[in-house]
Amino acid sequence: MFVHGHYYYRRIATVVFYFFYKNVTFVGPAICFLFMNGYSPQTIYSELQLIGFNLMFSALPIISYGLFEQHLPPTLLYEKPSLYKESAKTNLLAIKYFVAWMALAVWNCFVIFLFDFSLFYDAGGFNSSQSVGGLWCYGTVAYTCVIFVINIMIALRTRFWVWFTHLTIWGTLLSYVIISYLYALWTNPNVLWLHETNDATYVFIFLFSCPIIYLEVVMVIVLCVDTTASRTLR
């Protein structure tokens, strides 16, 4: 009870709040986009991105956290049973922690949206061909920022690292890049002998041939995870 009860309580509190946090961060840029497109129901995310968010690109890291995270070493919890009582008194599921998580999610939404919108709005081109890109370029950059921010956020909260933790967090980020690259090729009718295409063709490949995209992703990550709210939640 003193060990596993302590771990379970802290794990479940983070898992619950994190699920709200990551989904608000995901839908936030799309909601902000509504105010710029005449409240059209047009989504900024492709089918793969909508399906893959909770299924592939954000599920495993938080599962790993919920299974293996150890806030304190077991020996210390055995030696000081009073830590269990102190943890229960803290009330980690209190409304103030939920508000903090939601404030962080809203902040992330605005940072991602503003950086993304400023990059594409009235731009003279950000690559050598002086082409700006369309809706799917805009959405793909926002989606990439979301994926990296939410996974790095759970990495920063993790204090006990095992091989499965490394595999889920860094493997998720790597798999996102690989799957997005293959999807951009798969939707190209000149590749793999397909006869259909859609607006996602070559989008990911085109975007990440532009150095400014890397700069935006890095700046967004720094601004989103290095805030007072995120440091408090760690």
Side-chain angles (χ1 to χ4, degrees):
M1 174 65 73
F2 294 141
V3 176
H4 296 289
H6 183 92
Y7 287 157
Y8 174 79
Y9 183 54
R10 300 192 71 91
R11 290 170 183 170
I12 198 64
T14 299
V15 169
V16 170
F17 290 144
Y18 180 80
F19 270 100
F20 283 100
Y21 159 78
K22 72 183 182 72
N23 284 290
V24 171
T25 302
F26 173 56
V27 302
I31 293 175
C32 292
F33 184 71
L34 291 175
F35 297 97
M36 301 297 175
N37 69 352
Y39 302 98
S40 166
Q42 173 65 51
T43 180
I44 63 174
Y45 301 130
S46 68
E47 293 88 347
L48 174 67
Q49 293 166 346
L50 290 170
I51 295 172
F53 180 74
N54 281 308
L55 187 63
M56 296 183 291
F57 305 136
S58 67
L60 289 179
I62 190 60
I63 291 176
S64 174
Y65 183 96
L67 290 175
F68 300 108
E69 175 63 6
Q70 296 182 11
H71 179 67
L72 295 171
T75 53
L76 179 61
L77 295 177
Y78 275 121
E79 294 171 358
K80 297 184 178 181
S82 59
L83 290 172
Y84 178 80
K85 184 182 294 186
E86 293 177 5
S87 178
K89 288 181 178 180
T90 305
N91 192 8
L92 297 177
L93 290 170
I95 188 64
K96 63 179 181 180
Y97 294 109
F98 177 76
V99 172
W101 275 103
M102 291 301 97
L104 180 59
V106 172
W107 166 252
N108 290 354
C109 294
F110 280 115
V111 170
I112 293 170
F113 170 74
L114 292 176
F115 268 79
D116 205 15
F117 189 76
S118 63
L119 179 65
F120 286 91
Y121 179 74
D122 197 25
F126 53 79
N127 65 338
S128 58
S129 64
Q130 294 297 299
S131 57
V132 176
L135 175 67
W136 300 118
C137 290
Y138 173 88
T140 299
V141 174
Y143 190 83
T144 302
C145 291
V146 170
I147 295 300
F148 274 82
V149 165
I150 64 172
N151 282 288
I152 291 177
M153 181 61 68
I154 198 65
L156 292 175
R157 286 193 58 83
T158 300
R159 299 190 181 186
F160 184 73
W161 289 79
V162 296
W163 68 267
F164 189 71
T165 308
H166 287 284
L167 178 64
T168 54
I169 294 178
W170 312 126
T172 294
L173 296 177
L174 180 61
S175 66
Y176 166 69
V177 174
I178 294 174
I179 291 173
S180 298
Y181 182 87
L182 294 177
Y183 181 67
L185 291 178
W186 182 266
T187 52
N188 178 14
N190 297 320
V191 178
L192 301 179
W193 302 280
L194 297 178
H195 300 290
E196 296 182 0
T197 184
N198 64 29
D199 292 328
T201 302
Y202 275 137
V203 165
F204 191 83
I205 300 171
F206 161 74
L207 283 173
F208 287 89
S209 64
C210 309
I212 194 172
I213 300 298
Y214 294 92
L215 178 62
E216 178 187 344
V217 173
V218 171
M219 292 179 66
V220 166
I221 292 172
V222 171
L223 285 174
C224 286
V225 303
D226 188 24
T227 62
T228 301
S230 63
R231 288 193 294 269
T232 300
L233 290 172
R234 291 174 213 164

